[in-house]
Amino acid sequence: MQLPTEHIPQRRSSKLRMGEILIEMGLITPEQLSEALEEQRVSHRRMGDIVVAKEWVTPSQLAKARGHQLGVRFVDLQDARLEASAGGLITERDARRYAALPVSFVDDHTILVAMVDPANILAIDDLRILTGYDIEPAIAPEEDIFESIANLSKLEDKVGTSIDGDVPADSRVTPDEIHDILEQVDEAPIVKLVNGVIAQAVEDGASDIHFEPQAKELLIRFRHDGVLHEAMSIPHRMQSGVLSRVKIMADLDIAERRVPQDGRMGLTVGGKPIDMRVASLPTVYGEKIVIRLLDRSNVMLRLEDLGFSEKALARYRKSFTKPYGAILVTGPTGSGKSTTLYATLNILNSPEKNIITVEDPVEYRLNRINQVHVNPRAGLTFAAGLRSILRCDPDIIMIGEIRDRETAQIAVESALTGHLVLSTLHTNDAPGALSRLTEMGIEPFLTASAVDCVLAQRLARRLCDHCKEPYRPTREMLQRSDFPQEAVDGWEEVTLYRAVGCRRCNHTGYRGRLGIYEVMPVSEAIERLTVERKSADEIGRVAVAEGMLGLREDGIDKVLEGLTSVEEIARVIV
């Protein structure tokens, strides 16, 4: 990963004195230097301390000048994302003792270390012995180094007890190899490294962690707000220990590396319980492992917090408060359908209601709700689970996904016999859901009678409130992006916002996500079109005439409100 550094092309120390360097860099004037030299003759303080005390130079600028003098690079720890894999190579005590912090791997044998005094040869030798790596010294302000040490220590302390599994006795490699792996994964640097990666991902609000073996390194990427970002890289020699550590935590067979595996684990990070789904996949360079982070607090979201406009929420609420009927939530994978259904169940969840769900897998545990985990190997499919559910006197049924004709048939029949059925379906828009059920083999008259509302959605990244930048669009741009005619006519008064990037949003310009929705209640006119097997386009035209706001129109409204950007709406809505 690239760190913000001030690189010195010629790694040779400068013969200039500090005062001369500060003048050369344009940080002080000759008159100020003369004044500082006069004070230095009296107080015998260092030139750097004097100019900082007089506030002519910041500690960061002084460190940059000192780096120029010593011929080492300057590391800006305020903007850099520290690699937990490097920072975990030494203890907090040693980091404070040497006023030094490993920040990244340069190659398989060298680490970059930010130091207050890169000229301290004894400290560099000790760090080489402690880490087992060659040291490339860099310079950073003392305050920044100690603040970063404290932050890394907090991250490590946040990870609580994991649900570890035993190593299976039935191995695919030799017992000696397993013994070596177990010794490696129990080493403090490996444990700290994995804990640090997980804690950093939770701290950053990531939804997934990708461990991706490459030819010469183990690449780690986080998925933030639906987009993957490179977080750090780990030397190839540590790959086996890191991946085995994750597999042991998830109760996977560390000796089996030829077939995909799935597992779960639970951690507490900062006192917050986090469920994790772990999947491994053999690749040409080793096993790729993906950890899905499931924050249990997410399911306590209210529908108002997800991004619903007032009108769309009123239309949706009118449907899910009815005692029976089917509500379908559509959209591609990762568009937030499950979150919407969980938020809906939170509203419907009450002691007098019997709510049963059938999911694959059960991502979040909800109080007072009976959740069934699909297990096709044991014969428990969506259809089999639904048949059993109907014998358990449910009031509300949630189906994780309608995938086949049998599941669709049972869901429709359940809605017709007095149950409220919530489910997801993979279609691009709301009108397409009715046509999809017909294509699955459901009679159109049954679909028309059973389905009460279809909700289509996407997830767009929300602009960071701390760094978003206002700008005035042109009339042509508003027309090209399908803005409402009133916005086009009054384009001189329209203010939009664009992404910039800062520390709070990891320099992406976005922080968090919001939903883009189209809500289509099934009216009598839409029922007739469904029975007549009309196309999704025809159904959509009638729905718009009846007041439905399409996905693009809802997205444009959120752009005008300053919540997201034109570029983001173009990315998520084709």
Side-chain angles (χ1 to χ4, degrees):
M1 181 192 148
Q2 202 67 21
L3 288 169
T5 58
E6 190 77 19
H7 188 69
I8 307 300
Q10 298 178 345
R11 294 301 184 83
R12 291 182 300 190
S13 59
S14 172
K15 294 180 180 179
L16 295 176
R17 293 171 176 261
M18 177 58 69
E20 295 170 325
I21 291 174
L22 292 172
I23 290 177
E24 189 180 81
M25 295 176 68
L27 297 175
I28 63 172
T29 64
E31 293 75 18
Q32 289 174 324
L33 176 58
S34 299
E35 183 182 333
L37 286 172
E38 186 63 37
E39 183 172 328
Q40 189 179 40
R41 275 191 286 273
V42 176
S43 65
H44 303 291
R45 294 166 65 200
R46 292 187 300 181
M47 174 64 65
D49 295 338
I50 293 171
V51 295
V52 169
K54 290 181 175 292
E55 298 185 352
W56 295 340
V57 174
T58 66
S60 181
Q61 290 171 329
L62 179 63
K64 202 174 293 186
R66 176 78 169 142
H68 183 73
Q69 186 181 42
L70 295 173
V72 299
R73 72 174 74 179
F74 167 80
V75 179
D76 187 354
L77 295 177
Q78 291 291 334
D79 287 329
R81 179 198 289 275
L82 300 177
E83 294 187 7
S85 51
L89 291 174
I90 62 175
T91 64
E92 180 186 2
R93 180 180 176 184
D94 287 332
R96 292 185 180 279
R97 176 185 174 189
Y98 297 110
L101 181 65
V103 293
S104 67
F105 290 95
V106 177
D107 54 42
D108 273 359
H109 306 287
T110 310
I111 54 174
L112 180 71
V113 179
M115 306 179 68
V116 172
D117 182 12
N120 189 338
I121 302 300
L122 295 177
I124 292 174
D125 287 341
D126 287 350
L127 290 170
R128 185 181 294 112
I129 294 170
L130 286 171
T131 63
Y133 286 85
D134 291 333
I135 305 299
E136 180 180 329
I139 193 166
E142 181 176 6
E143 182 180 340
D144 291 357
I145 286 179
F146 283 102
E147 181 183 347
S148 298
I149 292 171
N151 289 338
L152 273 179
S153 177
K154 287 177 187 174
L155 278 177
E156 292 169 9
D157 292 342
K158 281 186 176 182
V159 180
T161 306
S162 67
I163 303 172
D164 288 350
D166 297 325
V167 180
D170 180 21
S171 63
R172 305 281 180 174
V173 294
T174 67
D176 289 339
E177 287 178 308
I178 293 179
H179 183 71
D180 290 342
I181 290 172
L182 289 175
E183 280 187 352
Q184 189 179 7
V185 299
D186 285 336
E187 290 177 359
I190 295 293
V191 174
K192 286 179 64 177
L193 192 160
V194 174
N195 284 355
V197 169
I198 293 173
Q200 185 66 60
V202 174
E203 185 88 354
D204 292 349
S207 60
D208 301 85
I209 308 171
H210 291 243
F211 295 84
E212 300 178 331
Q214 305 296 308
K216 296 182 179 180
E217 63 185 358
L218 177 65
L219 185 64
I220 297 179
R221 296 196 288 171
F222 295 161
R223 187 177 292 279
H224 294 283
D225 302 328
V227 179
L228 276 172
H229 299 280
E230 185 176 327
M232 63 190 76
S233 61
I234 293 173
H236 188 268
R237 68 179 188 176
M238 299 176 71
Q239 175 177 311
S240 176
V242 170
L243 298 181
S244 297
R245 172 65 185 170
V246 175
K247 290 174 71 175
I248 284 177
M249 292 171 73
D251 198 15
L252 302 182
D253 185 350
I254 64 167
E256 180 56 81
R257 302 167 185 167
R258 302 172 301 174
V259 297
Q261 298 185 68
D262 297 282
R264 297 184 72 102
M265 61 181 175
L267 293 175
T268 56
V269 182
K272 182 165 59 176
I274 303 290
D275 288 333
M276 303 185 190
R277 288 204 337 245
V278 181
S280 72
L281 181 70
T283 69
V284 290
Y285 294 121
E287 287 182 287
K288 172 185 171 74
I289 292 182
V290 179
I291 301 177
R292 168 66 60 86
L293 304 174
L294 304 170
D295 184 354
R296 296 177 194 171
S297 63
N298 284 346
V299 296
M300 300 313 293
L301 286 173
R302 301 178 306 144
L303 286 171
E304 293 84 351
D305 300 328
L306 299 182
F308 276 95
S309 66
E310 192 173 325
K311 182 179 177 182
L313 183 56
R315 289 163 72 95
Y316 181 51
R317 190 184 297 276
K318 186 176 179 181
S319 293
F320 72 71
T321 51
K322 292 181 180 179
Y324 57 86
I327 296 175
L328 302 178
V329 181
T330 75
T333 301
S335 59
K337 301 186 297 295
S338 296
T339 301
T340 299
L341 289 180
Y342 280 127
T344 306
L345 287 180
N346 279 332
I347 296 174
L348 297 172
N349 193 2
S350 62
E352 60 271 14
K353 296 280 178 63
N354 178 21
I355 303 175
I356 306 179
T357 74
V358 52
E359 306 169 59
D360 182 21
V362 175
E363 294 190 352
Y364 299 101
R365 271 68 165 179
L366 301 174
N367 291 331
R368 280 204 311 265
I369 292 181
N370 308 284
Q371 297 172 273
V372 178
H373 182 97
V374 167
N375 186 358
R377 290 183 181 177
L380 182 55
T381 61
F382 273 110
L386 275 173
R387 282 194 294 270
S388 300
I389 283 173
L390 292 172
R391 292 193 288 270
C392 294
D393 187 32
D395 297 299
I396 300 169
I397 301 169
M398 189 191 91
I399 307 166
E401 182 184 348
I402 293 178
R403 297 178 178 174
D404 51 49
R405 182 186 182 282
E406 189 176 6
T407 304
Q409 187 74 40
I410 298 173
V412 166
E413 290 175 356
S414 301
L416 291 172
T417 54
H419 302 91
L420 179 61
V421 178
L422 309 176
S423 187
T424 69
L425 195 63
H426 283 284
T427 61
N428 289 328
D429 56 15
L434 301 177
S435 302
R436 178 62 54 84
L437 289 176
T438 301
E439 292 166 4
M440 282 184 169
I442 306 301
E443 290 294 335
F445 70 90
L446 292 176
T447 299
S449 301
V451 179
D452 189 72
C453 179
V454 184
L455 168 70
Q457 71 177 78
R458 299 289 189 277
L459 283 181
R461 290 182 293 173
R462 189 187 293 267
L463 283 168
C464 175
D465 290 330
H466 298 280
C467 65
K468 65 182 181 181
E469 178 182 76
Y471 70 98
R472 289 292 174 87
T474 63
R475 180 187 180 91
E476 292 73 23
M477 183 209 140
L478 295 179
Q479 286 177 321
R480 193 169 57 248
S481 300
D482 298 327
F483 275 73
Q485 191 58 46
E486 56 266 26
V488 175
D489 292 340
W491 64 275
E492 294 175 325
E493 309 251 334
V494 173
T495 301
L496 304 182
Y497 292 84
R498 60 166 66 100
V500 177
C502 65
R503 287 193 71 196
R504 291 182 176 90
C505 60
N506 293 315
H507 303 282
T508 63
Y510 299 94
R511 187 173 178 85
R513 289 192 282 181
L514 74 160
I516 309 295
Y517 301 97
E518 67 178 21
V519 183
M520 187 186 78
V522 179
S523 63
E524 290 185 14
I526 292 176
E527 284 185 23
R528 282 197 300 273
L529 293 175
T530 304
V531 173
E532 294 169 6
R533 298 178 184 263
K534 297 295 184 181
S535 69
D537 289 340
E538 292 181 77
I539 294 173
R541 281 193 288 271
V542 171
V544 169
E546 292 180 345
M548 182 184 81
L549 201 63
L551 286 169
R552 179 169 289 279
E553 289 74 25
D554 190 46
I556 293 298
D557 282 352
K558 290 176 169 64
V559 170
L560 290 170
E561 292 172 27
L563 299 175
T564 188
S565 66
V566 175
E567 294 78 13
E568 185 64 9
I569 295 302
R571 184 182 72 87
V572 299
I573 301 173
V574 180

